[in-house]
Amino acid sequence: MNAALPTFQAPQSTHHIQALARLGVQRRYRRGALLIQEGETGDTLYIVQQGRLRAFLADGNGKELTLGSYGPMEYVGEMSLDGGPRSANVEASENCTCSVVSRDVLLSYIASEPEFALELMARLIRRARLATESARSVALIDVYGRLVRLLNQMAREPDAKGERMLRERLTHQAMAQHLACSREMVSRLLRDLETGGYIAVRERWIWLLKTLPARW
């Protein structure tokens, strides 16, 4: 059983991130590559330029807790600022290119551009709030409620027909990793919603055809 809702953040200015990325070393990672391992000491920040990264926790039995999904001009590894051990694992969820920025370069950039420190602090606060909200969802909302929330969070703006396509293709297993449930549970709920005419699957993309019922 896996857990937690993914991180979807509002767009923000990328001026500082682009400038910082130019100071880093560009590296490419294959899908499934582990960039950061929980518990290890690290001193690098990863800025995504292409592809996506997934942050997660894992236990010795292979159970995982997905903490967030990050795309172009987002970054992970800022916790390395305090010099402590990494708090989570980060892997490439698809082939990706990142700018790898050392802790020294990051601190030097903050010293020269102090307003970026405020942006960094705001991001840490948002992540803490999202983590709290994810924990609340897993504890207090049933699986169907978490599925509805996930689908609505991932949906694009409605088209002329009022239908909304998800921003990403997600396998049932990947969705289960976000919802703290089994893949079979996700498959059953999606099948029921499709039968009820609430969603449709077109070329492996999920579309929301109308407002999803609050309860099922």
Side-chain angles (χ1 to χ4, degrees):
M1 191 175 293
N2 305 293
L5 297 177
T7 304
F8 297 101
Q9 298 177 349
Q12 57 181 329
S13 171
T14 60
H15 166 73
H16 286 299
I17 299 304
Q18 290 173 338
L20 192 55
R22 289 193 289 269
L23 301 176
V25 178
Q26 190 176 89
R27 292 179 183 169
R28 293 181 173 85
Y29 300 93
R30 292 180 180 271
R31 178 182 177 183
L34 191 65
L35 284 67
I36 294 175
Q37 186 166 356
E38 180 185 359
E40 290 187 345
T41 300
D43 62 353
T44 48
L45 181 80
Y46 295 83
I47 301 173
V48 184
Q49 296 180 305
Q50 292 181 329
R52 297 196 73 80
L53 300 178
R54 180 175 76 101
F56 67 98
L57 302 176
D59 65 14
N61 298 317
K63 296 179 181 179
E64 295 181 357
L65 171 74
T66 296
L67 301 176
S69 176
Y70 307 96
M73 289 298 102
E74 293 185 300
Y75 54 90
V76 297
E78 70 274 18
M79 295 293 189
S80 65
L81 272 173
D82 69 354
R86 298 291 195 180
S87 58
N89 304 292
V90 175
E91 69 172 8
S93 51
E94 56 188 66
N95 293 342
C96 65
T97 301
C98 295
S99 175
V100 183
V101 180
S102 71
R103 181 172 181 266
D104 288 342
V105 169
L106 176 58
L107 292 175
S108 177
Y109 185 82
I110 290 173
S112 63
E113 301 286 348
E115 66 271 19
F116 180 62
L118 296 176
E119 182 180 316
L120 186 63
M121 184 172 64
R123 180 183 176 88
L124 290 170
I125 292 171
R126 283 195 300 272
R127 283 192 174 180
R129 286 176 174 165
L130 286 166
T132 300
E133 191 60 31
S134 293
R136 180 183 295 113
S137 295
V138 171
L140 303 178
I141 303 175
D142 63 15
V143 174
Y144 174 73
R146 297 200 296 275
L147 175 62
V148 168
R149 182 179 174 185
L150 174 65
L151 293 175
N152 283 326
Q153 283 182 323
M154 295 190 66
R156 300 176 185 270
E157 291 297 316
D159 62 14
K161 296 180 180 179
E163 299 176 352
R164 297 179 294 158
M165 185 178 75
L166 297 194
R167 294 188 184 93
E168 297 179 43
R169 281 183 175 138
L170 281 182
T171 65
H172 291 189
Q173 180 60 39
M175 295 179 79
Q177 289 177 334
H178 294 308
L179 299 177
C181 69
S182 67
R183 179 182 59 81
E184 291 75 17
M185 174 67 78
V186 170
S187 298
R188 182 178 66 79
L189 289 172
L190 291 176
R191 185 171 57 248
D192 288 349
L193 287 172
E194 189 172 10
T195 300
Y198 291 98
I199 69 171
V201 181
R202 302 166 181 164
E203 298 180 350
R204 294 188 298 152
W205 287 94
I206 295 178
W207 286 76
L208 308 187
L209 305 182
K210 53 186 177 182
T211 301
L212 302 176
R215 297 184 178 277
W216 193 255

